[in-house]
Amino acid sequence: MSDFDFDLFVIGGGSGGVRAARVAAGETGAKVALAEEDRYGGTCVIRGCVPKKLMVFASGYPEMAAEAQAYGWDMTVGDFNWDHFHGKLAAELDRLEAIYRKLLAGSGVETFDARAKVVDAHTVELSTGERKTAKHILLAMGGRPVSPDIPGAELAITSNEIFHLPKLPKNILIVGGGYIASEFAGVMNGLGVKTTQFYRGAQILRGFDDEARGLIAEEMIQKGVDLHLGTNVLEMKQVEDGIWVKATNGTEHVFDHVMFATGRKPNTDEMGLEEVGVKLGRKGEVLVDEYSQTAVPSIYAIGDATDRVNLTPVAIREGMAFVETVFKGNPTPVDHDLIPSAVFTQPEYGTVGLSEEDARAQEPIEVYCTSFKPMQSSFAGRPDRVMMKLIVSQANRKVLGVHIVAPAAGEMIQMAGIAVKMGATKEDFDRVVAVHPVMAEELVTMRNPTRTG
């Protein structure tokens, strides 16, 4: 008979926590519990990737209709019906949450719709007052958006609230230059909202490849986003016709809504973690080793709570590695190397491996890059441009990075990611016969380097 109520207690019902819980219970027979204070599915399913991607889809139809006319179709776009879309969106999120709950129940995981905090190395306390003991505790609480400390900041919304607006605004200010801010700038602009974006830095999408983010910014501006670089918000206040905003460049504006996308923070506040010996970093992230183990041997952490690589598939992989290590006796370190990712800006951006700047700082490289009008846009007389880029090591000819700015770049980068993860060389790419006519054929037809160094 076990001395504990459970073999594993998971705190957090997002993608990583749910996967770890149900695999531990379903595949190893462990007695597992999970506590979630909000909705099951976490950031990705409820207030992140899934609803955002559906909004990206919705915002792309006006351009499709305009392009269709150039191809001979008598097609016009009427007004966007936010109520219709929002109702379907809410129903879809309800459906997905129900699936998460069903998967947990089907695996034999006991669930608690309550907030949980850690009391000691083997005990959690629920907001209901109950205490449960477990041999292992897995922290998977995720993260949340944070707003800057400026006068009037409470008037703004974040990415959490933008999915639940009662009506679509006529205009909006989006503050931030990361992928969340830039994605929603494209979404709102595509839905017909007059969209302004402020970013305090010199270029959006800091940390990504410079050439790629430059093209994305140009294309966003061309599509109608009023992008102001080197600009931030000084103060805001409520006025009769909206939210008055004073910017660092001295200008003043009134917007229906202001959305802050200026950073995220791990959900580790008031969790009792440091009191029991779990070490936290400067941003409140749970510090873990390569096996996701904290400074307390019985407590592990995965996903955005650790602020390692904040992507849903990464959290799931971390959860699977945790189960392999702890419940299957197969110590499995988490592999965070060469993770493909997509940014659903308009145009879309797919990337895997090193940026040109990071690669150049590491070793001598060759850069193969082409930017062009794709056939579909060119025929329609549209100015849209795409980019394909390979970063290649001069020493061993390995492809160190692939960058794609184009429609469906996320779909393309998934395939390119396999080759890069396998250690493919430029010559391996060259040996592949091109598929014609498609944009991605450029990845295997670029023969001469654009630049070296």
Side-chain angles (χ1 to χ4, degrees):
M1 186 73 178
S2 172
D3 294 331
F4 303 104
D5 297 326
F6 299 98
D7 299 310
L8 171 65
F9 199 105
V10 180
I11 302 178
S15 298
V18 168
R19 177 65 65 89
R22 68 185 187 86
V23 174
E27 294 187 9
T28 74
K31 189 177 182 183
V32 181
L34 182 147
E36 170 55 58
E37 67 173 328
D38 197 356
R39 299 187 65 179
Y40 287 68
T43 295
C44 181
V45 173
I46 302 301
R47 49 194 167 269
C49 336
V50 172
K52 174 193 69 184
K53 189 68 180 293
L54 292 172
M55 287 184 77
V56 169
F57 288 145
S59 67
Y61 286 104
E63 279 199 351
M64 291 183 195
E67 194 167 82
Q69 292 175 5
Y71 278 86
W73 289 96
D74 182 10
M75 188 180 294
T76 57
V77 176
D79 292 333
F80 175 65
N81 188 327
W82 171 254
D83 290 341
H84 174 84
F85 171 77
H86 188 257
K88 288 201 70 173
L89 177 64
E92 176 65 4
L93 300 188
D94 289 345
R95 184 185 74 84
L96 293 173
E97 182 181 13
I99 289 173
Y100 269 63
R101 287 179 176 272
K102 185 176 181 181
L103 287 170
L104 287 167
S107 299
V109 177
E110 186 173 348
T111 55
F112 298 92
D113 292 355
R115 178 176 173 79
K117 68 177 184 178
V118 179
V119 176
D120 62 38
H122 296 283
T123 308
V124 300
E125 182 177 84
L126 301 175
S127 52
T128 58
E130 295 176 271
R131 287 194 173 192
K132 301 293 180 182
T133 60
K135 186 176 181 180
H136 302 284
I137 296 171
L138 179 63
L139 307 173
M141 304 86 63
R144 67 184 186 278
V146 292
S147 297
D149 184 16
I150 61 169
E154 72 280 357
L155 299 171
I157 61 172
T158 69
S159 57
N160 282 357
E161 294 81 38
I162 198 164
F163 304 112
H164 307 294
L165 297 176
K167 64 178 183 178
L168 208 60
K170 288 186 173 62
N171 60 68
I172 190 170
L173 169 65
I174 296 177
V175 184
Y179 71 91
I180 295 173
S182 301
E183 287 173 337
F184 277 108
V187 164
M188 300 308 281
N189 179 64
L191 293 178
V193 178
K194 182 174 170 50
T195 303
T196 304
Q197 183 178 359
F198 286 0
Y199 178 50
R200 65 184 181 181
Q203 185 56 279
I204 60 170
L205 300 174
R206 181 171 62 89
F208 291 98
D209 185 84
D210 279 356
E211 195 169 12
R213 62 197 189 120
L215 177 58
I216 292 167
E218 291 172 11
E219 292 291 313
M220 286 174 63
I221 292 168
Q222 184 172 270
K223 291 175 187 292
V225 175
D226 187 14
L227 176 61
H228 296 257
L229 300 172
T231 307
N232 208 347
V233 175
L234 277 177
E235 60 176 312
M236 306 192 307
K237 62 184 178 184
Q238 188 74 53
V239 294
E240 186 177 347
D241 52 348
I243 301 171
W244 172 85
V245 174
K246 185 174 182 180
T248 52
N249 60 10
T251 60
E252 300 178 11
H253 311 265
V254 176
F255 298 97
D256 290 346
H257 279 292
V258 177
M259 173 184 157
F260 283 128
T262 51
R264 294 180 62 83
K265 186 179 188 299
N267 284 324
T268 54
D269 297 348
E270 300 178 5
M271 289 286 299
L273 298 177
E274 290 183 298
E275 291 84 345
V276 303
V278 173
K279 289 183 168 52
L280 302 180
R282 184 177 55 84
K283 290 176 60 179
E285 73 275 19
V286 182
L287 301 180
V288 294
D289 65 11
E290 62 180 334
Y291 298 98
S292 297
Q293 189 174 39
T294 72
V296 179
S298 58
I299 301 178
Y300 291 72
I302 61 171
D304 291 7
T306 66
D307 197 34
R308 289 178 285 182
V309 179
N310 296 338
L311 296 169
T312 298
V314 175
I316 291 171
R317 284 294 183 96
E318 290 170 355
M320 296 293 285
F322 160 77
V323 174
E324 285 289 328
T325 298
V326 175
F327 289 95
K328 294 187 177 182
N330 176 30
T332 304
V334 178
D335 181 5
H336 289 126
D337 191 33
L338 298 173
I339 297 170
S341 63
V343 181
F344 296 104
T345 44
Q346 298 178 33
E348 204 167 291
Y349 176 31
T351 174
V352 62
L354 297 176
S355 67
E356 179 178 345
E357 294 70 40
D358 288 344
R360 195 179 297 280
Q362 172 182 293
E363 61 180 286
I365 58 170
E366 291 180 350
V367 177
Y368 296 79
C369 186
T370 181
S371 180
F372 56 95
K373 285 185 182 181
M375 178 188 290
Q376 187 171 355
S377 300
S378 180
F379 182 84
R382 298 178 62 83
D384 309 39
R385 297 191 68 82
V386 302
M387 186 193 84
M388 306 281 162
K389 184 174 185 177
L390 301 178
I391 315 296
V392 178
S393 166
Q394 287 189 26
N396 58 26
R397 306 298 297 158
K398 278 189 179 181
V399 176
L400 303 175
V402 179
H403 304 275
I404 302 172
V405 178
E411 305 288 352
M412 289 185 248
I413 206 66
Q414 181 69 82
M415 298 298 102
I418 298 171
V420 174
K421 188 72 173 176
M422 291 177 69
T425 64
K426 177 63 170 66
E427 286 66 35
D428 289 328
F429 273 66
D430 292 344
R431 278 194 291 272
V432 177
V433 175
V435 177
H436 182 74
V438 299
M439 291 178 288
E441 68 182 291
E442 297 290 337
L443 293 174
V444 299
T445 58
M446 291 185 285
R447 290 291 180 263
N448 301 311
T450 310
R451 49 193 172 269
T452 61

